[in-house]
Amino acid sequence: MTPMDSYTPEIRLPAPRTTGITSVEEAIAARRSVRVFSDQPLTLEVLSQLLWSLQGMTGKRFRTVPSAGATYPLQIIAAVGTFGITNLAAGCYLYLSEPHTLRAFKSGDLRTQLAKASLGQQAISTAPLNLVIAADYERTRSRYRNRTERYVHMEAGHAAQNLYLQAAALGLGTAAIGAFDDTGMKDILSVPGDFRHLYIIPVGVPAKTIF
Ligand SMILES: Cc1cc2nc3c(=O)[nH]c(=O)nc-3n(C[C@H](O)[C@H](O)[C@H](O)COP(=O)(O)O)c2cc1C
C-alpha cells in the first residue's frame, strides 16, 4: 500500500453499539439506494458502526458477516473526504477488524479520482465517505481452490447488505457501486497481491429523507 507522507499511528474507533431503535424489519423496508447527499459530515461513532457492520468482530474469532471456512478475504477501506468525518483527516484508511482500528495509508481527499475511475458517478464525489470493499482472493483460494471467486463474491454481497441495513437504521443513505475501472482503482488504491476492488459504497445523510 502507499504509505502516508508521515508515520501515522492506528486510530482507535469508538466501540460499536449492538442495540438500536430501528428494527431489522424497519431497516429492510427503508433500504434504498441513495445517490444524493447533504454536505453534513458524519461522526467517528457513525463510521465505527458502519465499519463494524461490514466486517466487525462478534466474538473472539467470528465477524458480523459470514465467511466460507472463516477465511475472511474481505478488506474494507474508508476513503474520507475533506470534512467528511468530524475530527478525522481526509485520506484512506484500512479497517482492522480485531482491534477495531483504522490504519491510515494514503492522505488527501481522493473522491474526485475515485469518481473518475467510476464513470464519473457523482454519488462518489459528493458523499462525505466512501467505503470500498476489496478482497484478497488468496486467503480463500488456499482452502477452496476453484470455488474461490464464487465464495468471495458471495461474501462481498453479505457485507454490502449489512452496510445497506446499518445505514438505513441510522437514517443514512448509501448505494452499492460496482461500475468502475479496475486498473484505475488499482492506481488510486494500490494494494499488492491478488487483490481486487469489488464495491465502492458512498455513504452520507440523504439530501432528501428516504423515510
Ligand atoms: C452488483 C451491483 C452493482 C451496482 N452498481 C451500481 C453502480 O455502479 N452505480 C449505481 O448508482 N448503483 C449501482 N447499483 C445499485 C442498483 O442500481 C440498485 O440497487 C437498483 O437500482 C435497485 O434500487 P434499490 O437499491 O434502491 O432497491 C448496483 C447494485 C448491485 C447489486
Side-chain angles (χ1 to χ4, degrees):
M1 287 188 181
T2 313
M4 286 286 271
D5 305 328
S6 56
Y7 174 72
T8 318
E10 277 172 26
I11 297 157
R12 274 185 68 170
L13 289 163
R17 289 188 351 225
T18 53
T19 58
I21 53 169
T22 307
S23 69
V24 174
E25 293 83 358
E26 287 166 331
I28 291 171
R31 187 214 64 81
R32 191 93 289 147
S33 293
V34 173
R35 301 173 182 85
V36 185
F37 306 102
S38 81
D39 54 11
Q40 204 175 310
L42 305 179
T43 63
L44 211 53
E45 282 76 13
V46 163
L47 175 62
S48 162
Q49 202 64 37
L50 298 170
L51 290 166
W52 178 77
S53 76
L54 279 163
Q55 233 11 235
M57 302 301 292
T58 49
K60 277 202 164 64
R61 196 176 144 223
F62 298 107
R63 302 188 185 178
T64 48
V65 169
S67 173
T71 48
Y72 297 117
L74 302 185
Q75 300 232 326
I76 310 299
I77 295 162
V80 176
T82 305
F83 304 125
I85 308 283
T86 309
N87 295 326
L88 190 64
C92 291
Y93 301 83
L94 186 68
Y95 174 57
L96 306 176
S97 303
E98 201 282 318
H100 194 58
T101 56
L102 290 176
R103 180 181 294 157
F105 69 93
K106 197 161 182 172
S107 59
D109 188 337
L110 299 180
R111 288 178 298 176
T112 305
Q113 289 180 56
L114 289 172
K116 207 171 158 195
S118 317
L119 317 171
Q121 298 198 53
Q122 283 205 350
I124 294 171
S125 51
T126 55
L129 168 71
N130 285 278
L131 293 166
V132 177
I133 301 181
D136 177 358
Y137 288 74
E138 282 312 314
R139 289 197 201 172
T140 303
R141 186 167 291 119
S142 55
R143 188 143 166 193
Y144 293 107
R145 300 177 190 280
N146 63 359
R147 297 189 77 74
T148 295
E149 298 247 329
R150 158 188 323 217
Y151 286 173
V152 169
H153 299 164
M154 286 171 176
E155 290 184 33
H158 287 297
Q161 186 68 9
N162 260 18
L163 178 61
Y164 258 116
L165 297 182
Q166 179 68 83
L170 295 171
L172 299 173
T174 189
I177 290 185
F180 50 79
D181 173 50
D182 291 337
T183 312
M185 282 299 288
K186 279 208 169 186
D187 290 344
I188 303 164
L189 295 177
S190 73
V191 180
D194 184 8
F195 206 105
R196 257 175 278 166
H197 303 97
L198 298 174
Y199 261 143
I200 305 173
I201 313 184
V203 190
V205 175
K208 292 185 291 194
T209 178
I210 56 169
F211 298 110

